[in-house]
Amino acid sequence: MLRVGAHASIAGGVHNAVDEQTEYAGNCGQIFSHSPQVWQDPNIDPDNAAQFRDASAEHGVGPWVIHSSYLVNLCTPKDDLRRKSIDSMQAEVDAADLLDIEYVNVHLGAHTGAGVDGGLDNAASALDELDVPDGVTVLIESDAGSGTKLGGQFEHLATVRERTSLDVEFCLDTAHAFAAGYDVSTPEGVAETVAEFDDVVGLDDLACIHLNDSKHECGTNKDEHAHVGEGLIGEDGMRALINHEELRDVPLVLETPTEDGKGFEWNVERVRELRDDE
């Protein structure tokens, strides 16, 4: 069954995200538990949490993903930022437990001078400090790889998994992978990229795909998303991703823009149009 949805707002209460998702005709999705631009703990009312759980079950919406704050940097060598990042992630996995959300998604962050190996070590040891509730899994997201940010190479993801004691899984962002140099604009490129991901990381641990097209060329490390099939990955690449036999059961979460009169509802429908059996 095709699982596709989009990032939804929790404005007015986290339960409202379910109604928004159904308006997009989505059946899975992603939320922020608070503003991603500030250091802030989730402020989720228990009654709203119960409404979220009940509505998700009633409408068959799931899995859900909580996306961590943009400020979190697991790779940092700076003690204060490291502590804030760990505390923020702990609050996120606890919020996921309250909401019966399966996944918390996080970028590795930037090593800012610690070096690639040092940054990956920092990320692994930061993950080791989390007390993750049963039923919640931390997902490490692939990155566009600009500056000293890590996660652009599949080897970075595999290395962190090897070095941490936490059972982690992964989220592959198609626009990020494209920006990092994995050319998924053709069926052949998709096949090669998926095979490489399987060889280096393992498809068994791929829990979610952020399905985004890209406004920038492959390998530019520029992260700017486009509507499905209308960016430089294009329709051929998107169709190949959506229909790849090894990816067909992986939930697709859209982080596409709202512009040109098109939003999440348009993009969810576009995914369904590109799916062979829909």
Side-chain angles (χ1 to χ4, degrees):
M1 177 181 179
L2 175 62
R3 285 280 160 187
V4 59
H7 191 101
S9 171
I10 66 167
V14 66
H15 59 293
N16 289 329
V18 184
D19 289 339
E20 185 175 318
Q21 196 64 246
T22 59
E23 289 173 7
Y24 302 147
N27 56 11
C28 65
Q30 178 176 274
I31 60 171
F32 291 122
S33 68
H34 58 85
S35 170
Q37 308 286 359
V38 296
W39 292 115
Q40 178 183 338
D41 284 343
N43 183 19
I44 298 173
D45 179 83
D47 289 339
N48 287 162
Q51 289 175 275
F52 174 89
R53 296 192 300 267
D54 291 345
S56 293
E58 178 184 351
H59 294 286
V61 180
W64 284 96
V65 180
I66 291 178
H67 195 298
S68 65
S69 167
Y70 292 142
L71 301 179
V72 168
N73 186 348
L74 301 179
C75 294
T76 183
K78 300 175 182 177
D79 291 340
D80 181 58
L81 179 54
R82 174 185 171 87
R83 187 71 261 158
K84 287 181 178 178
S85 298
I86 293 169
D87 290 346
S88 179
M89 282 297 295
Q90 185 63 54
E92 300 286 22
V93 297
D94 290 340
D97 186 42
L98 175 64
L99 294 166
D100 282 348
I101 287 180
E102 295 180 43
Y103 302 117
V104 173
N105 184 74
V106 65
H107 296 263
L108 289 176
H111 68 71
T112 62
V116 172
D117 197 59
L120 296 175
D121 263 346
N122 290 342
S125 62
L127 291 167
D128 284 343
E129 294 199 32
L130 298 179
D131 181 12
V132 179
D134 290 342
V136 178
T137 300
V138 173
L139 304 183
I140 300 172
E141 180 177 345
S142 65
D143 201 273
S146 62
T148 65
K149 289 181 180 178
L150 301 181
Q153 298 176 28
F154 294 160
E155 286 80 7
H156 295 171
L157 309 180
T159 298
V160 172
R161 180 182 56 195
E162 291 167 3
R163 295 181 183 180
T164 183
S165 60
L166 186 67
D167 289 332
V168 297
E169 295 182 10
F170 301 95
C171 172
L172 177 66
D173 187 303
T174 56
H176 295 174
F178 190 67
Y182 297 94
D183 190 351
V184 290
S185 64
T186 66
E188 296 77 17
V190 169
E192 291 175 7
T193 299
V194 173
E196 183 171 350
F197 186 94
D198 191 27
D199 183 56
V200 176
V201 181
L203 288 168
D204 287 346
D205 289 332
L206 179 61
C208 178
I209 292 173
H210 282 169
L211 190 75
N212 303 305
D213 212 321
S214 175
K215 291 186 178 181
H216 300 282
E217 296 281 358
C218 182
T220 59
N221 303 118
K222 293 182 179 180
D223 176 17
E224 192 174 3
H225 300 173
H227 295 303
V228 170
E230 298 200 347
L232 291 169
I233 294 176
E235 183 174 317
D236 288 348
M238 285 282 122
R239 187 188 298 276
L241 286 161
I242 292 164
N243 289 290
H244 192 288
E245 62 180 3
E246 298 291 347
L247 306 181
R248 289 176 65 85
D249 294 330
V250 181
L252 308 175
V253 174
L254 305 175
E255 298 172 321
T256 46
T258 298
E259 59 188 18
D260 304 324
K262 300 168 184 173
F264 286 138
E265 185 175 3
W266 185 92
N267 281 278
V268 168
E269 177 59 27
R270 187 71 177 120
V271 172
R272 295 191 189 281
E273 290 173 355
L274 293 173
R275 178 80 162 207
D276 288 344
D277 59 0
E278 287 293 304

